[in-house]
Amino acid sequence: MDGISDHVPLSALVLAGGKSRRMGMDKANLCYSDDGMPQWKRMTGILAPVCQRACVSIRREQELDQFEEGDAEQVVDGPESKGPLSGILQAAALYPTSAWLVVACDLPLLEFPVIEHLLQHRGDAQAVAYRSSHDGLPEPMCAIYETSFIPVLQAALDNDMRCPRKILINNPDRVRLLELPDEKALENANTPEEFRQLKDLALARNS
């Protein structure tokens, strides 16, 4: 594979800019634990220790609960956002010499060992991602994108391909896919009922 070495600085990007229409409330600000910490803050806290910088991608009008000075840098998406791909490219444009550890904000069962496993397999691939435990397809919202893969993402967006998963599928020679060490780690919720069920599971795991 024609990729980048693991010596390239790595930044973290938590994608929090979704509009959460089915949930009816901002998924970035949901709390799945007893400590009251919103998901965006929990995720940046997990990623920050292993990255040069931690950023959180948000919409222009979005407000993050409990945001304080010294928290993750906010990367505000442009007015013509085309989903998570726009957020990734916006961050990459700000820091073009950095590789990116990209994680969705709404993964309450994702813990550091799963991130660590991803980092351990960073090497000569241009992107590293997990296979979904549901369908075996790439999980683009918990993945590492090297600097050499950013032009691939940009070219896809320029051709109106907005789905990061399809981009990974279409570039098998550039991507390393891993088996999830915890099959529940990337579970998320899109409705209030799913939120309640996933919160119960998260609380049970941490009890």
Side-chain angles (χ1 to χ4, degrees), residues 8-191:
V8 172
L10 185 67
S11 297
L13 181 67
V14 174
L15 295 170
K19 293 186 177 180
S20 310
R21 291 187 180 91
R22 284 185 287 167
M23 184 65 71
M25 61 191 80
D26 194 334
K27 291 199 290 183
N29 290 326
L30 291 177
C31 175
Y32 288 83
S33 61
D34 290 330
D35 59 11
M37 183 180 294
Q39 264 302 109
W40 75 265
K41 195 159 189 161
R42 176 182 176 274
M43 290 311 313
T44 54
I46 290 174
L47 303 182
V50 294
C51 293
Q52 184 181 55
R53 66 179 59 84
C55 302
V56 56
S57 173
I58 62 171
R59 305 183 308 277
R60 285 194 166 193
E61 73 280 8
Q62 189 173 5
E63 294 186 6
L64 298 175
D65 289 351
Q66 300 183 24
F67 188 86
E68 301 171 323
E69 185 177 352
D71 281 340
E73 178 180 348
Q74 295 187 26
V75 177
V76 182
D77 214 346
E80 301 299 326
S81 175
K82 296 182 179 179
L85 194 53
S86 291
I88 297 170
L89 291 171
Q90 185 85 359
L94 287 175
Y95 299 105
T97 62
S98 181
W100 289 92
L101 171 56
V102 175
V103 176
C105 70
D106 58 338
L107 303 175
L109 304 184
L110 178 60
E111 301 289 352
F112 179 73
V114 176
I115 297 296
E116 185 177 37
H117 186 68
L118 194 68
L119 295 172
Q120 289 171 346
H121 287 82
R122 188 184 177 201
D124 60 352
Q126 293 184 16
V128 185
Y130 284 115
R131 297 182 189 275
S132 168
S133 58
H134 295 288
D135 56 21
L137 297 176
E139 290 278 13
M141 298 295 97
C142 182
I144 296 172
Y145 299 98
E146 301 289 351
T147 55
S148 57
F149 200 71
I150 299 302
V152 178
L153 298 177
Q154 184 65 62
L157 188 62
D158 291 343
N159 286 295
D160 205 32
M161 180 182 289
R162 306 183 185 187
C163 177
R165 170 173 277 186
K166 288 184 179 179
I167 299 171
L168 294 178
I169 292 171
N170 290 344
N171 290 275
D173 293 340
R174 302 173 186 263
V175 179
R176 174 175 290 117
L177 293 181
L178 308 175
E179 300 301 323
L180 265 170
D182 174 1
E183 65 177 14
K184 296 287 188 180
L186 303 185
E187 296 290 326
N188 71 335
N190 293 305
T191 67

